[in-house]
Amino acid sequence: MKVAKDLVAASATPMVLGILAEGESYGYAILKRIHELSGGELDWTEGLLYPLLHRLERLGCVEATWRSATSERRRRYYRITDKGRAELAEQRRQWDTVVGALRDIWLDPHDRGTLPAIPLEGLA
């Protein structure tokens, strides 16, 4: 399944902030965590992640530091700030609203565990 670009873009900020709320991390590890969390369905590129991290850094939502471990190349580690935690809380409130509305549309009100049949006639 290919997740639409619009949906990936809309979920990128809360996803990255949520991962950094678990603890500081670096780019490749963030990409790997997104892949794991999505069961392999989301396969972000560096071209998506790094501009987002730089924007979050400019906004004060994350801070970054360069580090190098013995026999490894330098990595830029990112950590969430208090402003980032506040942004994550706001994003969660907004996503809860969206998910709740979708759940109410898609789920049968008498059986919250199944989706109702949706007629496909006339859909192209």
Side-chain angles (χ1 to χ4, degrees), residues 95-111:
W95 275 98
D96 284 345
T97 299
V98 170
V99 169
L102 288 171
R103 187 177 298 116
D104 288 347
I105 291 168
W106 290 339
L107 296 180
D108 181 339
H110 303 294
D111 181 7

Side-chain angles (χ1 to χ4, degrees), residues 12 15-16 19 29-44 49:
M15 198 167 305
V16 168
I19 289 168
I30 294 169
L31 292 172
K32 187 176 172 183
R33 182 77 173 122
I34 289 165
H35 188 77
E36 291 169 358
L37 287 168
S38 69
E41 296 293 333
L42 294 175
D43 197 19
W44 288 12
L49 178 63

Side-chain angles (χ1 to χ4, degrees), residues 12-57:
T13 295
M15 198 167 305
V16 168
L17 290 175
I19 289 168
L20 293 176
E22 296 174 341
E24 69 178 8
S25 192
Y26 57 95
Y28 176 75
I30 294 169
L31 292 172
K32 187 176 172 183
R33 182 77 173 122
I34 289 165
H35 188 77
E36 291 169 358
L37 287 168
S38 69
E41 296 293 333
L42 294 175
D43 197 19
W44 288 12
T45 64
E46 292 177 359
L48 172 70
L49 178 63
Y50 287 108
L52 173 60
L53 286 169
H54 296 155
R55 184 177 64 82
L56 291 172
E57 189 175 9

Side-chain angles (χ1 to χ4, degrees), residues 50-71:
Y50 287 108
L52 173 60
L53 286 169
H54 296 155
R55 184 177 64 82
L56 291 172
E57 189 175 9
R58 277 193 313 275
L59 293 172
C61 293
V62 301
E63 294 176 342
T65 56
W66 284 101
R67 290 195 210 140
S68 53
T70 51
S71 74

